[in-house]
Amino acid sequence: MKIAVLMSTYNGEKYIKEQIDSILRQKCDMEIDLWIRDDGSVDNTQKILDTYKNKGKLNWYAGVNIGPAQSFINLLLHCEKYDFYAFADQDDYWMSDKLQQGINRIKNIDNAALYISNARLVNSARIYMGRNVYKKTPKLDFYTLSCAGGLLGCTMIFNHALAAIVQNNILPDDIIMHDFYIALVCASMNGSLIYDPVPHMDYRQHENNVVGVSYGMKQILTSRISDMIRKPKISIANQANSLLKISGISAENRDWLIRVNNYRETFYSRLKLAFSLKTRYINWNMGIKLRISIFFGNR
């Protein structure tokens, strides 16, 4: 059996060697192939990748800059016929059991299955910052995921059944992030989403993070206010529309996606989705932020 580890890189020369080495040191009972798509780096990232490729350690190819969401989807479409898949960021560090722990949790599931785990927050020098990414178990139900997302992509491991749904359907035009989309695909197909509270990787926080975790009262407050008043380029409505192009989604789930897709159209539709009892956010302050964002059409 084989697993494809998918990594999108962009100007990652500072931390990428440490991350690649941690992936290559995985203790796993199946063959591991590391696939990397470089998203238009202008630093030494591509030279570093060539060094590893010439040693037979990985496969990589370059593309124009399309952003991490589409770059990861491009990788998934590029790498078919694997038994399992895992997303990897360029600047983290994996503990040696990361892949095996995830595979063990989903290897006996035939339908679409997605595993996620907690992660240790570390600074740029990989010093533990005293907390993990998830303080509570994240919400994994379809209704909440469609509006909130929030599952950490670099911890995700999923099976061929889930990958094939994306690979065999229309390429999504509008997705917020690849991890948000994959989790929502799994949930919309009534697949299995499994959370492991034990961290199996270090999630590095530094000045160049594309997506990071807010910490400290001032940073959290600033981030929440920004999310409520800023209108995103791609909304949950756009992403729901992409999901509606997938065949095989149940009528009930399709009706909900239509509701999300149309939520910005009227005052009533925004109000109805914002205060739906079907969505159950991880805590009250996150719930307030997301409900206000939806109410004003900014989610």
Side-chain angles (χ1 to χ4, degrees):
M1 300 184 79
K2 298 174 67 176
I3 180 169
V5 177
L6 310 179
M7 180 192 298
S8 176
T9 57
Y10 179 72
N11 292 347
E13 63 179 6
K14 189 171 184 179
Y15 304 111
I16 194 169
K17 289 183 181 179
E18 189 176 19
Q19 169 66 319
I20 290 175
D21 289 342
S22 76
I23 294 171
L24 297 177
R25 286 195 294 265
Q26 289 294 295
K27 296 178 180 178
C28 186
D29 62 7
M30 63 179 60
E31 184 178 343
I32 302 171
D33 286 345
L34 175 55
W35 283 90
I36 298 176
R37 179 190 182 276
D38 186 73
D39 197 33
S41 292
V42 294
D43 64 355
N44 290 316
T45 297
Q46 294 188 6
K47 292 180 180 179
I48 294 170
L49 297 180
D50 263 339
T51 300
Y52 281 95
K53 182 178 181 179
N54 292 337
K55 295 178 181 179
K57 302 291 187 179
L58 55 81
N59 307 282
W60 81 274
Y61 63 100
V64 298
N65 186 269
I66 53 177
Q70 290 294 347
S71 186
F72 273 103
I73 295 297
N74 185 280
L75 272 165
L76 183 56
L77 297 176
H78 190 87
C79 300
E80 297 182 336
K81 300 180 180 179
Y82 281 87
D83 301 288
F84 298 95
Y85 297 82
F87 289 139
D89 287 348
Q90 66 184 8
D91 46 10
D92 298 326
Y93 180 88
W94 288 11
M95 300 169 193
S96 62
D97 67 342
K98 180 182 185 298
L99 289 179
Q100 191 65 61
Q101 289 294 328
I103 290 167
N104 288 345
R105 300 288 290 272
I106 63 174
K107 65 182 179 182
N108 295 321
I109 301 175
D110 294 326
N111 64 330
L114 172 66
Y115 161 93
I116 60 169
S117 76
N118 215 330
R120 290 175 9 119
L121 276 179
V122 299
N123 65 13
S124 59
R126 262 193 66 220
I127 297 172
Y128 182 52
M129 298 171 67
R131 59 157 289 196
N132 296 332
V133 171
Y134 299 111
K135 296 180 179 180
K136 297 181 179 179
T137 300
K139 301 299 182 183
L140 303 177
D141 65 281
F142 167 65
Y143 302 108
T144 306
L145 280 176
S146 67
C147 296
L151 302 184
L152 198 60
C154 53
T155 72
M156 288 181 172
I157 300 171
F158 51 101
N159 62 4
H160 175 77
L162 177 52
I165 295 169
V166 178
Q167 293 164 343
N168 297 333
N169 277 277
I170 297 173
L171 179 66
D173 294 321
D174 294 319
I175 60 175
I176 296 171
M177 280 299 284
H178 58 287
D179 45 12
F180 196 158
Y181 183 74
I182 289 294
L184 191 50
V185 169
C186 188
S188 68
M189 301 296 288
N190 296 319
S192 301
L193 290 94
I194 297 170
Y195 170 66
D196 180 357
V198 179
H200 299 287
M201 59 165 285
D202 288 341
Y203 185 56
R204 196 190 305 262
Q205 298 292 283
H206 57 88
E207 66 279 2
N208 295 321
N209 280 112
V210 174
V211 177
V213 173
S214 297
Y215 52 92
M217 185 59 66
K218 182 178 179 180
Q219 187 178 4
I220 292 172
L221 183 60
T222 302
S223 174
R224 297 281 164 85
I225 293 173
S226 174
D227 287 344
M228 286 188 286
I229 64 176
R230 178 177 52 86
K231 193 172 290 293
K233 181 179 179 181
I234 299 175
S235 71
I236 57 172
N238 301 134
Q239 186 164 254
N241 184 263
S242 291
L243 264 291
L244 285 166
K245 298 174 183 177
I246 293 177
S247 59
I249 298 176
S250 69
E252 180 182 355
N253 289 351
R254 187 168 291 275
D255 286 344
W256 177 263
L257 288 172
I258 292 172
R259 181 170 163 182
V260 177
N261 180 46
N262 298 333
Y263 96 91
R264 284 173 156 177
E265 292 186 354
T266 67
F267 172 84
Y268 179 68
S269 61
R270 296 198 309 272
L271 182 69
K272 189 176 179 181
L273 183 63
F275 297 100
S276 171
L277 296 179
K278 289 186 175 182
T279 52
R280 301 176 294 109
Y281 301 114
I282 192 169
N283 53 46
W284 69 269
N285 56 343
M286 180 63 72
I288 290 173
K289 184 201 84 167
L290 291 171
R291 294 187 192 281
I292 292 176
S293 299
I294 292 170
F295 179 72
F296 285 106
N298 294 335
R299 180 62 182 158

